[in-house]
Amino acid sequence: MNRRLYALHRWLSALALLQLLVWSVSGLVFALLPERSVLSPRSSAEQHVPLGALDEVARLGPLLGALAPDVRAGIETIDLRPSRDGLVWILRGHDLRLRLDAASGVERPVTADEASWVARRDQEGEPEVRSVERYERDAPLEYRGKALPAWRICLANEERSCVWIDARTGEVTARRTNAWRVHDFLWGLHTLDWSERDDFRNPWLIGFGLLAVLTALSGLVLWCARLVRWVRRRGRARPIP
């Protein structure tokens, strides 16, 4: 019986060892990676709406009145924001993201040039642009769960930053760096969720968790069996008074 248990324990240990090592290494990297390098915070160069722009509020009513009734009905929030070419109104709703020129009310799509301008200003030192891509659908894994369409602007800085810009509102929706990519890859190994990275009930994670528990339990049973055997031997070896 003990031989079979020893063999089972060895195989369970061999199977669990690799994943336990991955969990340990990834957890150590999470602790050592600076939070700033992972989050890639934006530049300190903030844009503010000038005080004189309050006059634009008076024009908002007619601008909204010119919109289609179904669009107006879907509006939940309205923000006045600066852009490269002047002030814009950002209209949001459940299925609505719309950017209007504050002066004319005309919809202002975000061009590749403006997205590049926003991305450069978002990062320290305004690095040069390496590449520009637009995604209407099927964005890569690094942009999972974010709004589309979007611009992906990759910059020539040390962090190899890629800044994602909402193609409808011109807002930064994600920042990705080499440190973030390493963190995200290890997080996928840590959670064993290769697609979404946040499913803690996936079969792989549950399976390896159970395997680790079985390994620990089998080791505990073996330790107890050896302890009992040692106590019995000590009892037999004790001289009779």
Side-chain angles (χ1 to χ4, degrees):
M1 178 64 182
N2 280 354
R3 288 182 179 179
R4 293 181 179 178
L5 192 55
Y6 273 117
L8 176 62
H9 180 70
R10 283 197 299 270
W11 281 107
L12 288 176
S13 299
L15 290 172
L17 177 61
L18 182 59
Q19 186 58 38
L20 290 173
L21 181 62
V22 168
W23 282 333
S24 300
V25 171
S26 58
L28 179 62
V29 174
F30 296 153
L32 294 178
L33 272 179
E35 184 179 8
R36 177 180 175 84
S37 65
V38 175
L39 297 180
S40 182
R42 62 167 299 169
S43 167
S44 57
E46 296 283 349
Q47 288 183 285
H48 300 281
V49 176
L51 186 61
L54 294 176
D55 297 337
E56 303 294 340
V57 177
R59 303 176 188 163
L60 180 59
L63 293 183
L64 295 179
L67 297 175
D70 58 329
V71 174
R72 289 200 307 271
I75 297 174
E76 295 177 357
T77 63
I78 302 176
D79 294 318
L80 183 63
R81 297 287 181 87
S83 73
R84 186 187 64 168
D85 302 315
L87 297 175
V88 293
W89 289 105
I90 306 295
L91 283 56
R92 297 187 189 84
H94 178 65
D95 292 317
L96 173 69
R97 298 186 338 271
L98 189 63
R99 190 173 78 149
L100 304 178
D101 185 276
S104 65
V106 176
E107 185 175 355
R108 282 261 300 273
V110 181
T111 64
D113 287 343
E114 183 174 0
S116 300
W117 177 81
V118 171
R120 292 188 63 196
R121 285 178 58 86
D122 184 75
Q123 296 294 299
E124 293 287 350
E126 299 191 13
E128 295 298 320
V129 173
R130 289 191 294 113
S131 64
V132 178
E133 298 172 279
R134 181 184 170 98
Y135 288 87
E136 299 289 336
R137 55 190 178 87
D138 300 327
L141 187 59
E142 71 174 39
Y143 195 65
R144 57 188 179 273
K146 303 289 186 179
L148 290 170
W151 292 99
R152 182 178 188 252
I153 313 297
C154 293
L155 304 171
N157 56 359
E158 184 178 351
E159 296 81 10
R160 307 293 284 180
S161 301
C162 289
V163 181
W164 288 82
I165 313 293
D166 189 312
R168 292 181 180 172
T169 66
E171 298 170 297
V172 175
T173 50
R175 301 175 181 89
R176 304 298 183 234
T177 62
N178 282 342
W180 183 93
R181 296 178 189 102
V182 170
H183 185 281
D184 188 59
F185 174 74
L186 290 176
W187 184 248
L189 294 179
H190 200 79
T191 62
L192 297 176
D193 179 14
W194 318 117
S195 57
E196 299 298 329
R197 302 286 204 262
D198 57 0
D199 182 7
F200 289 93
R201 296 187 178 183
N202 68 78
W204 286 104
L205 186 59
I206 294 173
F208 273 103
L210 289 174
L211 182 61
V213 172
L214 289 175
T215 303
L217 289 176
S218 62
L220 181 62
V221 170
L222 286 172
W223 183 85
C224 291
R226 294 190 65 177
L227 180 62
V228 170
R229 189 166 54 193
W230 179 82
V231 170
R232 287 176 178 174
R233 285 178 179 176
R234 292 280 294 181
R236 287 197 298 266
R238 185 176 301 169
I240 299 175

